[in-house]
Amino acid sequence: MGHNRRVSTARELIPEGASLEQLRSLAAGCQACDLYRNATQTVFGEGSAGATVMLVGEQPGDREDLDGEPFVGPAGALLDRALHDAGIDRRQAYVTNVVKHFKWRPAGKRRLHQKPGAEEIRACRPWLESEIDLVGPAVVVCLGATAAQALLGPSFRVTRQRGQFLAWERAPRILATVHPSSILRAPDEEARAREMEAFVADLAVVRAHLSDLGGSP
Ligand code: URA
Ligand code: SF4
């Protein structure tokens, strides 16, 4: 753990030329916003440094906060299944979040997820931008509106533009789809099956492109 003074964004904590592993240990001591105060630990991205696909979620959940790894709870299990069904190997992907600390409020004995605010997203985004620059994925996949709007702008609407490749300055391609948690919240089995199918179809667009690039992902 570092002992960094409070800063307005994580940018000031990122040295020129830092490696992914250096970033990971610097992020462990980040106090650029208040979210570190009530969280167990920083949950940095995980995966191959040469990954061709980067999956970006919102923020760690309860399980991720305790384990220190992204997408290892219920949403992660659903994501794993969808990636498998789309023919993408999670071990070949880099998985991360827009915000690296769990934001929650107490509800009895449980910790309830709270959406990160604009200030927290702004404070944390330099970590994600550095991850993208260092991993250099061929495709970035935004999982849900928080990731899509953080990377593509506040007017981006997942419902209107999901599953389409868009031009972007930081990576050759970017695509947005729903967040796996939204599928877990589907009102009934039928809706859940339908939403899962659409999610897998969006990921299959990514898989087809990765195949075109040569080599299976
Ligand atoms: N939801 C996210 O957005 N990210 C995680 O890592 C887990 C759940
Ligand atoms: Fe730093 Fe991000 Fe954690 Fe805020 S959420 S303290 S910016 S790592």
Side-chain angles (χ1 to χ4, degrees):
M1 282 287 235
H3 296 277
N4 302 306
R5 69 195 168 81
R6 275 185 59 79
V7 290
S8 58
T9 87
R11 175 73 59 213
E12 300 172 43
L13 302 175
I14 302 176
E16 186 104 23
S19 70
L20 205 53
E21 280 317 304
Q22 285 170 324
L23 291 184
R24 175 187 300 280
S25 59
L26 288 167
C30 183
Q31 302 183 352
C33 78
D34 281 336
L35 293 187
Y36 77 94
R37 294 178 185 276
N38 294 325
T40 307
Q41 58 192 319
T42 304
V43 179
F44 204 67
E46 282 281 347
S48 153
T52 48
V53 57
M54 183 178 295
L55 304 163
V56 183
E58 181 189 75
Q59 65 173 342
D62 183 79
R63 263 288 297 284
E64 290 79 17
D65 172 74
L66 298 172
D67 288 2
E69 288 178 44
F71 284 107
V72 291
L78 188 140
L79 176 61
D80 285 350
R81 192 149 29 91
L83 287 170
H84 174 268
D85 291 355
I88 298 172
D89 185 349
R90 175 159 166 178
R91 289 167 302 181
Q92 302 290 324
Y94 186 95
V95 180
T96 191
N97 286 299
V98 172
V99 166
K100 308 299 198 228
H101 275 109
F102 179 36
K103 182 176 182 179
W104 60 279
R105 64 179 171 82
K109 284 185 191 150
R110 307 189 46 173
R111 303 191 295 172
L112 270 198
H113 164 273
Q114 283 200 289
K115 259 193 175 314
E119 276 307 300
E120 292 144 355
I121 290 170
R122 193 179 72 91
C124 210
R125 192 170 41 210
W127 294 121
L128 175 60
E129 290 173 352
S130 296
E131 288 175 290
I132 296 167
D133 293 347
L134 284 165
V135 173
V139 182
V140 171
V141 179
C142 302
L143 299 171
T146 299
Q149 292 178 354
L151 295 178
L152 292 165
S155 62
F156 187 87
R157 292 292 171 266
V158 172
T159 44
R160 243 182 280 150
Q161 282 175 286
R162 65 180 292 178
Q164 301 170 24
F165 284 128
L166 303 159
W168 197 45
E169 72 273 17
R170 274 207 134 79
R173 293 190 182 205
I174 189 165
L175 173 147
T177 182
V178 295
H179 193 288
S181 294
S182 71
I183 302 173
L184 293 173
R185 288 193 306 265
D188 55 55
E189 266 313 315
E190 198 184 319
R192 191 168 309 121
R194 198 173 348 101
E195 289 177 28
M196 183 67 169
E197 200 176 313
F199 185 44
V200 171
D202 290 346
L203 294 173
V205 171
V206 175
R207 154 73 200 202
H209 177 61
L210 295 175
S211 302
D212 286 348
L213 292 178
S216 56

